Amino acid sequence: MLIPAPDLLPASVRAFVERHGREPSWRASAPGRVNLVGEHTDYLGGLCLPVALGHRTWVVAAPRTDSRVHLTSGDALEWSGDTSHLTGSPLRGWASYVVGALRAVGWQGGLDLHVESSVPVGAGLSSSAALICAVVTAVTERSPDDLLRAALEAEQVHVGAPTGGMDQTVSLLARPAHALLLDFAGGGLPAGRPVPWSPERDGVELLVVDTGVRHANDDGAFARRRAEAEAAMALSPDEVVAARDPLPRRRRHVDSENDRVRRVVAAVERHDWTEVGALFTASHVSLRDDHEVSCVELDAVVEAARTAGALGARMTGGGFGGCAVVLVPTTQRDRVVARVSAAARAAGHPEPSFLPGEAGGPATRHRAAGPSHVDLSQAQRLT
Ligand code: GLA
């Protein structure tokens, strides 16, 4: 019923050998993520609390002796160009993320690279950050901070998506069985603190519900919402009161959401899952009514999950489609899944799918013989 996270390393290597005619030199993978709370706050110097998923993107690659760059992926998408394209022509689609990552690490020379992924694309689970983080981890050996700088530059500068830094940071620095409390105050790389996150031990689990409604962070809606929120955050308290709708609502979302992050962390630390669930739902209401980034399909999932016995639920990620996270007692999980599916069918929405929300590990380089865990979460900045 839940889509399990597969190990795609063997398939990636096999496909590389078939498509490129030799063994790959480098193998890496990086996770997608869900955010527990703290939505549309990272790009405003605020707080967020993401976890890495078990679902990952796998990249295998080898340098070439000529200047060709040849990119392949499991679903047969393909891009081929000369290294000179890395500084020139605008690209769209998944190849733009790979090329953006290669630009950000200053890649010189030719390269064969193959991608496999179990992170659904456009579902708000950071498939783009997972791809970029897997590429920079595969083709360079740098400190975690340098990898993070490159990953941020790839998406924000080279691809031009107006995202904050949450997705890349958790993909590179996650710790298994932990959420990552990120504080973007100060404008540089975020300060991070791992927060133990194992609700399963108390008979509660995080369920990820993919509505099947697709979006892209570079399609304009995200940028408009970001601009409004930035304008709202630049106002003094008096100016906010006098400002015209929607600015006061945007401001109220950001201020209340940062407060909810602090309260969720405190509730997680005392294992108060009822309170965590209530805060999830309050976050959804704020994102729906004040920030206006939800959609009817997400609202329907949250409503159906709650009435079927979930402790709380909310949209996760950028919104305008994508996924919700549901905190549910394990004994109620199957009932919630059935009721959410039934509600979607009754409303004529796409059939939702369900992924496990257990907190996984960070971007990792793998040795040829099998996974070798390079635990980037031991970075100095994480105290
Ligand atoms: C997208 C962005 C993130 C963050 C979320 C909303 O996932 O990539 O940086 O802004 O939306 O919280």
Side-chain angles (χ1 to χ4, degrees):
M1 188 183 320
L2 302 190
I3 302 170
D7 175 1
L8 294 178
L9 181 58
S12 308
V13 172
R14 257 196 325 273
F16 187 93
V17 172
E18 273 166 27
R19 308 281 287 275
H20 299 283
R22 61 204 174 109
E23 288 283 323
S25 311
W26 305 305
R27 302 150 170 83
S29 66
R33 65 97 190 89
V34 285
N35 189 18
L36 298 177
V37 69
E39 217 67 85
H40 285 264
T41 47
D42 60 349
Y43 55 77
L44 299 166
L47 302 170
C48 57
L49 189 69
V51 295
L53 290 174
H55 285 267
R56 301 173 78 86
T57 295
W58 307 76
V59 162
V60 292
R64 293 173 62 103
T65 49
D66 61 12
S67 61
R68 301 295 296 166
V69 175
H70 194 217
L71 311 179
T72 56
S73 84
D75 45 11
L77 293 166
E78 195 152 337
W79 183 82
S80 180
D82 194 81
T83 315
S84 57
H85 287 255
L86 297 184
T87 53
S89 68
L91 291 167
R92 289 198 67 77
W94 71 275
S96 67
Y97 294 94
V98 179
V99 169
L102 295 175
R103 281 179 185 167
V105 298
W107 181 260
Q108 306 279 331
L111 183 74
D112 288 331
L113 185 146
H114 183 81
V115 179
E116 298 277 342
S117 183
S118 70
V119 183
V121 174
L125 300 178
S126 292
S127 57
S128 54
L131 176 54
I132 285 171
C133 291
V135 172
V136 298
T137 302
V139 304
T140 61
E141 288 195 66
R142 297 186 180 182
S143 72
D145 280 3
D146 284 349
L147 288 177
L148 180 54
R149 276 191 204 93
L152 292 171
E153 181 186 319
E155 188 149 3
Q156 294 168 353
V157 179
H158 300 302
V159 177
T163 62
M166 165 171 70
D167 309 341
Q168 300 80 2
T169 309
V170 69
S171 189
L172 287 167
L173 302 178
R175 200 175 278 191
H178 287 74
L180 201 52
L181 173 61
L182 297 177
D183 184 349
F184 286 85
L189 295 183
R193 173 164 81 83
V195 176
W197 168 262
S198 301
E200 306 84 17
R201 291 191 191 149
D202 296 327
V204 171
E205 61 188 76
L206 188 75
L207 184 64
V208 181
V209 184
D210 182 357
T211 60
V213 179
R214 293 298 178 243
H215 78 113
N217 287 336
D218 54 1
D219 71 0
F222 187 99
R224 278 194 298 281
R225 191 60 77 253
R226 176 174 177 154
E228 289 166 358
E230 282 169 344
M233 295 308 287
L235 299 177
S236 70
D238 286 349
E239 289 169 333
V240 176
V241 173
R244 293 175 66 158
D245 191 61
L247 294 198
R249 286 187 293 132
R250 305 294 187 253
R251 175 67 168 261
R252 187 167 58 197
H253 166 69
V254 177
D255 290 343
S256 65
E257 187 75 351
N258 281 322
D259 185 50
R260 275 187 290 274
V261 175
R262 293 187 197 94
R263 290 165 64 198
V264 166
V265 170
V268 167
E269 286 174 341
R270 45 172 210 275
H271 297 229
D272 185 348
W273 305 112
T274 306
E275 172 74 356
V276 175
L279 289 162
F280 273 25
T281 305
S283 169
H284 184 78
V285 170
S286 179
L287 288 157
R288 183 191 67 196
D289 297 345
D290 281 349
H291 216 54
E292 296 181 290
V293 290
S294 187
C295 62
V296 289
E297 293 86 353
L298 283 165
D299 296 344
V301 167
V302 168
E303 187 55 28
R306 287 188 53 231
T307 53
L311 300 173
R314 58 181 291 278
M315 55 153 278
T316 189
F320 306 106
C323 287
V325 281
V326 176
L327 194 67
V328 59
T330 301
T331 53
Q332 302 296 308
R333 191 241 282 155
D334 292 350
R335 179 183 145 91
V336 165
V337 167
R339 294 274 286 274
V340 166
S341 298
R345 274 195 295 275
H349 297 162
E351 184 74 26
S353 44
F354 300 87
L355 283 69
E358 268 163 52
T364 301
R365 272 192 152 204
H366 306 280
R367 288 192 212 293
S372 88
H373 202 75
V374 178
D375 188 356
L376 298 172
S377 65
Q378 300 306 323
Q380 285 268 296
R381 284 182 308 100
L382 299 183
T383 53

PDB file of all heavy atoms in Angstrom, residues 144-178:
ATOM      1  N   PRO A 144      31.176  19.507   3.296  1.00  0.00           N
ATOM      2  CA  PRO A 144      29.717  19.649   3.227  1.00  0.00           C
ATOM      3  C   PRO A 144      29.283  21.076   2.929  1.00  0.00           C
ATOM      4  O   PRO A 144      28.348  21.298   2.153  1.00  0.00           O
ATOM      5  CB  PRO A 144      29.255  19.201   4.623  1.00  0.00           C
ATOM      6  CG  PRO A 144      30.328  18.270   5.086  1.00  0.00           C
ATOM      7  CD  PRO A 144      31.612  18.805   4.512  1.00  0.00           C
ATOM      8  N   ASP A 145      29.937  22.069   3.532  1.00  0.00           N
ATOM      9  CA  ASP A 145      29.548  23.465   3.270  1.00  0.00           C
ATOM     10  C   ASP A 145      29.769  23.833   1.807  1.00  0.00           C
ATOM     11  O   ASP A 145      28.958  24.536   1.200  1.00  0.00           O
ATOM     12  CB  ASP A 145      30.337  24.421   4.172  1.00  0.00           C
ATOM     13  CG  ASP A 145      29.757  24.502   5.574  1.00  0.00           C
ATOM     14  OD1 ASP A 145      28.773  23.774   5.848  1.00  0.00           O
ATOM     15  OD2 ASP A 145      30.285  25.267   6.396  1.00  0.00           O
ATOM     16  N   ASP A 146      30.883  23.380   1.230  1.00  0.00           N
ATOM     17  CA  ASP A 146      31.158  23.696  -0.178  1.00  0.00           C
ATOM     18  C   ASP A 146      30.153  23.004  -1.101  1.00  0.00           C
ATOM     19  O   ASP A 146      29.721  23.568  -2.103  1.00  0.00           O
ATOM     20  CB  ASP A 146      32.586  23.313  -0.552  1.00  0.00           C
ATOM     21  CG  ASP A 146      33.589  24.320   0.003  1.00  0.00           C
ATOM     22  OD1 ASP A 146      33.150  25.393   0.475  1.00  0.00           O
ATOM     23  OD2 ASP A 146      34.791  24.018  -0.023  1.00  0.00           O
ATOM     24  N   LEU A 147      29.801  21.750  -0.753  1.00  0.00           N
ATOM     25  CA  LEU A 147      28.781  21.060  -1.555  1.00  0.00           C
ATOM     26  C   LEU A 147      27.460  21.814  -1.479  1.00  0.00           C
ATOM     27  O   LEU A 147      26.757  21.973  -2.474  1.00  0.00           O
ATOM     28  CB  LEU A 147      28.586  19.620  -1.056  1.00  0.00           C
ATOM     29  CG  LEU A 147      29.711  18.634  -1.355  1.00  0.00           C
ATOM     30  CD1 LEU A 147      29.390  17.283  -0.719  1.00  0.00           C
ATOM     31  CD2 LEU A 147      29.910  18.468  -2.859  1.00  0.00           C
ATOM     32  N   LEU A 148      27.141  22.287  -0.274  1.00  0.00           N
ATOM     33  CA  LEU A 148      25.876  23.010  -0.105  1.00  0.00           C
ATOM     34  C   LEU A 148      25.892  24.319  -0.905  1.00  0.00           C
ATOM     35  O   LEU A 148      24.909  24.651  -1.583  1.00  0.00           O
ATOM     36  CB  LEU A 148      25.622  23.262   1.390  1.00  0.00           C
ATOM     37  CG  LEU A 148      24.340  24.013   1.731  1.00  0.00           C
ATOM     38  CD1 LEU A 148      23.112  23.348   1.110  1.00  0.00           C
ATOM     39  CD2 LEU A 148      24.171  24.093   3.255  1.00  0.00           C
ATOM     40  N   ARG A 149      26.997  25.047  -0.844  1.00  0.00           N
ATOM     41  CA  ARG A 149      27.086  26.296  -1.631  1.00  0.00           C
ATOM     42  C   ARG A 149      26.874  26.005  -3.115  1.00  0.00           C
ATOM     43  O   ARG A 149      26.158  26.714  -3.812  1.00  0.00           O
ATOM     44  CB  ARG A 149      28.455  26.958  -1.438  1.00  0.00           C
ATOM     45  CG  ARG A 149      28.509  27.809  -0.201  1.00  0.00           C
ATOM     46  CD  ARG A 149      29.759  28.670  -0.127  1.00  0.00           C
ATOM     47  NE  ARG A 149      29.980  28.980   1.266  1.00  0.00           N
ATOM     48  CZ  ARG A 149      30.746  28.288   2.094  1.00  0.00           C
ATOM     49  NH1 ARG A 149      31.436  27.251   1.655  1.00  0.00           N
ATOM     50  NH2 ARG A 149      30.852  28.626   3.363  1.00  0.00           N
ATOM     51  N   ALA A 150      27.517  24.930  -3.591  1.00  0.00           N
ATOM     52  CA  ALA A 150      27.388  24.579  -5.014  1.00  0.00           C
ATOM     53  C   ALA A 150      25.946  24.193  -5.344  1.00  0.00           C
ATOM     54  O   ALA A 150      25.399  24.612  -6.377  1.00  0.00           O
ATOM     55  CB  ALA A 150      28.337  23.432  -5.358  1.00  0.00           C
ATOM     56  N   ALA A 151      25.313  23.418  -4.464  1.00  0.00           N
ATOM     57  CA  ALA A 151      23.930  22.975  -4.731  1.00  0.00           C
ATOM     58  C   ALA A 151      22.977  24.172  -4.767  1.00  0.00           C
ATOM     59  O   ALA A 151      22.076  24.246  -5.612  1.00  0.00           O
ATOM     60  CB  ALA A 151      23.489  21.962  -3.680  1.00  0.00           C
ATOM     61  N   LEU A 152      23.178  25.122  -3.868  1.00  0.00           N
ATOM     62  CA  LEU A 152      22.324  26.314  -3.842  1.00  0.00           C
ATOM     63  C   LEU A 152      22.535  27.149  -5.103  1.00  0.00           C
ATOM     64  O   LEU A 152      21.581  27.623  -5.724  1.00  0.00           O
ATOM     65  CB  LEU A 152      22.622  27.155  -2.598  1.00  0.00           C
ATOM     66  CG  LEU A 152      22.210  26.520  -1.263  1.00  0.00           C
ATOM     67  CD1 LEU A 152      22.748  27.327  -0.083  1.00  0.00           C
ATOM     68  CD2 LEU A 152      20.701  26.393  -1.168  1.00  0.00           C
ATOM     69  N   GLU A 153      23.801  27.319  -5.481  1.00  0.00           N
ATOM     70  CA  GLU A 153      24.103  28.099  -6.690  1.00  0.00           C
ATOM     71  C   GLU A 153      23.489  27.433  -7.919  1.00  0.00           C
ATOM     72  O   GLU A 153      22.944  28.105  -8.800  1.00  0.00           O
ATOM     73  CB  GLU A 153      25.628  28.217  -6.850  1.00  0.00           C
ATOM     74  CG  GLU A 153      26.030  29.024  -8.072  1.00  0.00           C
ATOM     75  CD  GLU A 153      27.546  29.013  -8.290  1.00  0.00           C
ATOM     76  OE1 GLU A 153      28.318  29.124  -7.305  1.00  0.00           O
ATOM     77  OE2 GLU A 153      27.949  28.882  -9.467  1.00  0.00           O
ATOM     78  N   ALA A 154      23.563  26.099  -7.967  1.00  0.00           N
ATOM     79  CA  ALA A 154      23.028  25.371  -9.126  1.00  0.00           C
ATOM     80  C   ALA A 154      21.549  25.686  -9.318  1.00  0.00           C
ATOM     81  O   ALA A 154      21.115  26.048 -10.415  1.00  0.00           O
ATOM     82  CB  ALA A 154      23.225  23.867  -8.922  1.00  0.00           C
ATOM     83  N   GLU A 155      20.758  25.570  -8.250  1.00  0.00           N
ATOM     84  CA  GLU A 155      19.304  25.724  -8.412  1.00  0.00           C
ATOM     85  C   GLU A 155      18.889  27.192  -8.505  1.00  0.00           C
ATOM     86  O   GLU A 155      18.057  27.567  -9.326  1.00  0.00           O
ATOM     87  CB  GLU A 155      18.575  25.028  -7.256  1.00  0.00           C
ATOM     88  CG  GLU A 155      17.071  24.993  -7.474  1.00  0.00           C
ATOM     89  CD  GLU A 155      16.374  23.785  -6.881  1.00  0.00           C
ATOM     90  OE1 GLU A 155      17.042  22.954  -6.226  1.00  0.00           O
ATOM     91  OE2 GLU A 155      15.157  23.665  -7.072  1.00  0.00           O
ATOM     92  N   GLN A 156      19.492  28.031  -7.654  1.00  0.00           N
ATOM     93  CA  GLN A 156      19.017  29.414  -7.589  1.00  0.00           C
ATOM     94  C   GLN A 156      19.594  30.278  -8.712  1.00  0.00           C
ATOM     95  O   GLN A 156      18.891  31.126  -9.253  1.00  0.00           O
ATOM     96  CB  GLN A 156      19.363  30.015  -6.217  1.00  0.00           C
ATOM     97  CG  GLN A 156      18.603  29.316  -5.090  1.00  0.00           C
ATOM     98  CD  GLN A 156      19.113  29.660  -3.700  1.00  0.00           C
ATOM     99  OE1 GLN A 156      20.124  30.322  -3.549  1.00  0.00           O
ATOM    100  NE2 GLN A 156      18.423  29.192  -2.688  1.00  0.00           N
ATOM    101  N   VAL A 157      20.865  30.058  -9.044  1.00  0.00           N
ATOM    102  CA  VAL A 157      21.507  30.914 -10.052  1.00  0.00           C
ATOM    103  C   VAL A 157      21.399  30.291 -11.449  1.00  0.00           C
ATOM    104  O   VAL A 157      20.898  30.919 -12.378  1.00  0.00           O
ATOM    105  CB  VAL A 157      22.993  31.170  -9.688  1.00  0.00           C
ATOM    106  CG1 VAL A 157      23.665  32.027 -10.752  1.00  0.00           C
ATOM    107  CG2 VAL A 157      23.095  31.815  -8.310  1.00  0.00           C
ATOM    108  N   HIS A 158      21.848  29.043 -11.585  1.00  0.00           N
ATOM    109  CA  HIS A 158      21.939  28.463 -12.937  1.00  0.00           C
ATOM    110  C   HIS A 158      20.591  28.007 -13.466  1.00  0.00           C
ATOM    111  O   HIS A 158      20.271  28.207 -14.631  1.00  0.00           O
ATOM    112  CB  HIS A 158      22.963  27.337 -12.955  1.00  0.00           C
ATOM    113  CG  HIS A 158      24.338  27.821 -12.570  1.00  0.00           C
ATOM    114  ND1 HIS A 158      24.979  28.822 -13.253  1.00  0.00           N
ATOM    115  CD2 HIS A 158      25.152  27.486 -11.533  1.00  0.00           C
ATOM    116  CE1 HIS A 158      26.153  29.081 -12.672  1.00  0.00           C
ATOM    117  NE2 HIS A 158      26.272  28.280 -11.624  1.00  0.00           N
ATOM    118  N   VAL A 159      19.770  27.359 -12.614  1.00  0.00           N
ATOM    119  CA  VAL A 159      18.423  26.983 -13.070  1.00  0.00           C
ATOM    120  C   VAL A 159      17.495  28.194 -12.967  1.00  0.00           C
ATOM    121  O   VAL A 159      16.579  28.357 -13.759  1.00  0.00           O
ATOM    122  CB  VAL A 159      17.872  25.798 -12.245  1.00  0.00           C
ATOM    123  CG1 VAL A 159      16.455  25.455 -12.667  1.00  0.00           C
ATOM    124  CG2 VAL A 159      18.780  24.570 -12.390  1.00  0.00           C
ATOM    125  N   GLY A 160      17.732  29.043 -11.960  1.00  0.00           N
ATOM    126  CA  GLY A 160      16.918  30.249 -11.814  1.00  0.00           C
ATOM    127  C   GLY A 160      15.611  30.015 -11.084  1.00  0.00           C
ATOM    128  O   GLY A 160      14.659  30.767 -11.249  1.00  0.00           O
ATOM    129  N   ALA A 161      15.537  28.959 -10.252  1.00  0.00           N
ATOM    130  CA  ALA A 161      14.319  28.720  -9.461  1.00  0.00           C
ATOM    131  C   ALA A 161      14.417  29.545  -8.172  1.00  0.00           C
ATOM    132  O   ALA A 161      15.441  29.509  -7.495  1.00  0.00           O
ATOM    133  CB  ALA A 161      14.182  27.235  -9.134  1.00  0.00           C
ATOM    134  N   PRO A 162      13.347  30.283  -7.834  1.00  0.00           N
ATOM    135  CA  PRO A 162      13.422  31.231  -6.704  1.00  0.00           C
ATOM    136  C   PRO A 162      13.210  30.554  -5.356  1.00  0.00           C
ATOM    137  O   PRO A 162      12.444  31.019  -4.521  1.00  0.00           O
ATOM    138  CB  PRO A 162      12.278  32.202  -7.015  1.00  0.00           C
ATOM    139  CG  PRO A 162      11.265  31.341  -7.707  1.00  0.00           C
ATOM    140  CD  PRO A 162      12.038  30.310  -8.483  1.00  0.00           C
ATOM    141  N   THR A 163      13.869  29.421  -5.118  1.00  0.00           N
ATOM    142  CA  THR A 163      13.650  28.644  -3.904  1.00  0.00           C
ATOM    143  C   THR A 163      14.538  29.159  -2.778  1.00  0.00           C
ATOM    144  O   THR A 163      15.495  29.902  -3.009  1.00  0.00           O
ATOM    145  CB  THR A 163      13.990  27.169  -4.151  1.00  0.00           C
ATOM    146  OG1 THR A 163      15.373  27.092  -4.480  1.00  0.00           O
ATOM    147  CG2 THR A 163      13.181  26.605  -5.296  1.00  0.00           C
ATOM    148  N   GLY A 164      14.239  28.744  -1.536  1.00  0.00           N
ATOM    149  CA  GLY A 164      15.117  29.024  -0.410  1.00  0.00           C
ATOM    150  C   GLY A 164      16.180  27.936  -0.343  1.00  0.00           C
ATOM    151  O   GLY A 164      16.474  27.297  -1.360  1.00  0.00           O
ATOM    152  N   GLY A 165      16.744  27.690   0.838  1.00  0.00           N
ATOM    153  CA  GLY A 165      17.832  26.718   0.925  1.00  0.00           C
ATOM    154  C   GLY A 165      17.488  25.434   1.662  1.00  0.00           C
ATOM    155  O   GLY A 165      18.356  24.578   1.853  1.00  0.00           O
ATOM    156  N   MET A 166      16.218  25.284   2.061  1.00  0.00           N
ATOM    157  CA  MET A 166      15.859  24.115   2.881  1.00  0.00           C
ATOM    158  C   MET A 166      16.153  22.779   2.200  1.00  0.00           C
ATOM    159  O   MET A 166      16.735  21.874   2.814  1.00  0.00           O
ATOM    160  CB  MET A 166      14.357  24.188   3.209  1.00  0.00           C
ATOM    161  CG  MET A 166      13.786  22.885   3.737  1.00  0.00           C
ATOM    162  SD  MET A 166      12.126  23.056   4.341  1.00  0.00           S
ATOM    163  CE  MET A 166      11.186  23.320   2.837  1.00  0.00           C
ATOM    164  N   ASP A 167      15.759  22.650   0.942  1.00  0.00           N
ATOM    165  CA  ASP A 167      15.768  21.338   0.288  1.00  0.00           C
ATOM    166  C   ASP A 167      17.194  20.806   0.126  1.00  0.00           C
ATOM    167  O   ASP A 167      17.484  19.639   0.427  1.00  0.00           O
ATOM    168  CB  ASP A 167      15.106  21.429  -1.096  1.00  0.00           C
ATOM    169  CG  ASP A 167      13.754  22.100  -1.040  1.00  0.00           C
ATOM    170  OD1 ASP A 167      13.174  22.171   0.061  1.00  0.00           O
ATOM    171  OD2 ASP A 167      13.286  22.570  -2.094  1.00  0.00           O
ATOM    172  N   GLN A 168      18.079  21.678  -0.359  1.00  0.00           N
ATOM    173  CA  GLN A 168      19.465  21.250  -0.589  1.00  0.00           C
ATOM    174  C   GLN A 168      20.149  20.947   0.742  1.00  0.00           C
ATOM    175  O   GLN A 168      20.932  20.007   0.859  1.00  0.00           O
ATOM    176  CB  GLN A 168      20.240  22.348  -1.337  1.00  0.00           C
ATOM    177  CG  GLN A 168      19.677  22.733  -2.698  1.00  0.00           C
ATOM    178  CD  GLN A 168      18.478  23.681  -2.617  1.00  0.00           C
ATOM    179  OE1 GLN A 168      18.056  24.107  -1.535  1.00  0.00           O
ATOM    180  NE2 GLN A 168      17.917  23.999  -3.757  1.00  0.00           N
ATOM    181  N   THR A 169      19.847  21.768   1.775  1.00  0.00           N
ATOM    182  CA  THR A 169      20.517  21.587   3.063  1.00  0.00           C
ATOM    183  C   THR A 169      20.154  20.235   3.673  1.00  0.00           C
ATOM    184  O   THR A 169      21.028  19.487   4.114  1.00  0.00           O
ATOM    185  CB  THR A 169      20.123  22.713   4.046  1.00  0.00           C
ATOM    186  OG1 THR A 169      20.309  23.971   3.400  1.00  0.00           O
ATOM    187  CG2 THR A 169      20.972  22.649   5.298  1.00  0.00           C
ATOM    188  N   VAL A 170      18.877  19.896   3.672  1.00  0.00           N
ATOM    189  CA  VAL A 170      18.508  18.625   4.304  1.00  0.00           C
ATOM    190  C   VAL A 170      18.969  17.448   3.450  1.00  0.00           C
ATOM    191  O   VAL A 170      19.355  16.401   3.977  1.00  0.00           O
ATOM    192  CB  VAL A 170      16.996  18.562   4.627  1.00  0.00           C
ATOM    193  CG1 VAL A 170      16.139  18.470   3.384  1.00  0.00           C
ATOM    194  CG2 VAL A 170      16.710  17.400   5.575  1.00  0.00           C
ATOM    195  N   SER A 171      18.985  17.607   2.131  1.00  0.00           N
ATOM    196  CA  SER A 171      19.438  16.501   1.282  1.00  0.00           C
ATOM    197  C   SER A 171      20.914  16.188   1.541  1.00  0.00           C
ATOM    198  O   SER A 171      21.321  15.030   1.532  1.00  0.00           O
ATOM    199  CB  SER A 171      19.208  16.845  -0.199  1.00  0.00           C
ATOM    200  OG  SER A 171      19.435  15.725  -1.012  1.00  0.00           O
ATOM    201  N   LEU A 172      21.707  17.237   1.810  1.00  0.00           N
ATOM    202  CA  LEU A 172      23.144  17.013   2.035  1.00  0.00           C
ATOM    203  C   LEU A 172      23.488  16.703   3.495  1.00  0.00           C
ATOM    204  O   LEU A 172      24.487  16.048   3.764  1.00  0.00           O
ATOM    205  CB  LEU A 172      23.940  18.249   1.587  1.00  0.00           C
ATOM    206  CG  LEU A 172      24.028  18.442   0.066  1.00  0.00           C
ATOM    207  CD1 LEU A 172      24.533  19.833  -0.274  1.00  0.00           C
ATOM    208  CD2 LEU A 172      24.944  17.378  -0.552  1.00  0.00           C
ATOM    209  N   LEU A 173      22.681  17.197   4.441  1.00  0.00           N
ATOM    210  CA  LEU A 173      23.106  17.142   5.853  1.00  0.00           C
ATOM    211  C   LEU A 173      22.172  16.366   6.763  1.00  0.00           C
ATOM    212  O   LEU A 173      22.337  16.378   7.993  1.00  0.00           O
ATOM    213  CB  LEU A 173      23.249  18.571   6.397  1.00  0.00           C
ATOM    214  CG  LEU A 173      24.228  19.481   5.655  1.00  0.00           C
ATOM    215  CD1 LEU A 173      24.246  20.873   6.263  1.00  0.00           C
ATOM    216  CD2 LEU A 173      25.634  18.890   5.662  1.00  0.00           C
ATOM    217  N   ALA A 174      21.181  15.682   6.207  1.00  0.00           N
ATOM    218  CA  ALA A 174      20.220  14.953   7.056  1.00  0.00           C
ATOM    219  C   ALA A 174      20.927  13.894   7.896  1.00  0.00           C
ATOM    220  O   ALA A 174      22.028  13.451   7.585  1.00  0.00           O
ATOM    221  CB  ALA A 174      19.183  14.274   6.170  1.00  0.00           C
ATOM    222  N   ARG A 175      20.266  13.509   8.952  1.00  0.00           N
ATOM    223  CA  ARG A 175      20.760  12.429   9.794  1.00  0.00           C
ATOM    224  C   ARG A 175      19.609  11.422   9.961  1.00  0.00           C
ATOM    225  O   ARG A 175      18.477  11.853  10.233  1.00  0.00           O
ATOM    226  CB  ARG A 175      21.153  13.004  11.153  1.00  0.00           C
ATOM    227  CG  ARG A 175      22.087  12.141  11.925  1.00  0.00           C
ATOM    228  CD  ARG A 175      22.523  12.845  13.189  1.00  0.00           C
ATOM    229  NE  ARG A 175      23.617  13.781  12.959  1.00  0.00           N
ATOM    230  CZ  ARG A 175      24.305  14.361  13.931  1.00  0.00           C
ATOM    231  NH1 ARG A 175      24.004  14.133  15.191  1.00  0.00           N
ATOM    232  NH2 ARG A 175      25.297  15.177  13.649  1.00  0.00           N
ATOM    233  N   PRO A 176      19.867  10.113   9.779  1.00  0.00           N
ATOM    234  CA  PRO A 176      18.769   9.149   9.912  1.00  0.00           C
ATOM    235  C   PRO A 176      18.082   9.291  11.271  1.00  0.00           C
ATOM    236  O   PRO A 176      18.731   9.580  12.282  1.00  0.00           O
ATOM    237  CB  PRO A 176      19.459   7.782   9.805  1.00  0.00           C
ATOM    238  CG  PRO A 176      20.743   8.066   9.105  1.00  0.00           C
ATOM    239  CD  PRO A 176      21.146   9.458   9.481  1.00  0.00           C
ATOM    240  N   ALA A 177      16.773   9.083  11.291  1.00  0.00           N
ATOM    241  CA  ALA A 177      15.971   9.143  12.522  1.00  0.00           C
ATOM    242  C   ALA A 177      16.026  10.521  13.199  1.00  0.00           C
ATOM    243  O   ALA A 177      15.811  10.630  14.407  1.00  0.00           O
ATOM    244  CB  ALA A 177      16.375   8.059  13.512  1.00  0.00           C
ATOM    245  N   HIS A 178      16.328  11.550  12.415  1.00  0.00           N
ATOM    246  CA  HIS A 178      16.319  12.926  12.922  1.00  0.00           C
ATOM    247  C   HIS A 178      15.628  13.838  11.914  1.00  0.00           C
ATOM    248  O   HIS A 178      15.698  13.618  10.707  1.00  0.00           O
ATOM    249  CB  HIS A 178      17.733  13.472  13.128  1.00  0.00           C
ATOM    250  CG  HIS A 178      18.431  12.897  14.312  1.00  0.00           C
ATOM    251  ND1 HIS A 178      18.923  11.612  14.321  1.00  0.00           N
ATOM    252  CD2 HIS A 178      18.712  13.431  15.532  1.00  0.00           C
ATOM    253  CE1 HIS A 178      19.482  11.376  15.510  1.00  0.00           C
ATOM    254  NE2 HIS A 178      19.366  12.460  16.264  1.00  0.00           N
TER     255      HIS A 178
END
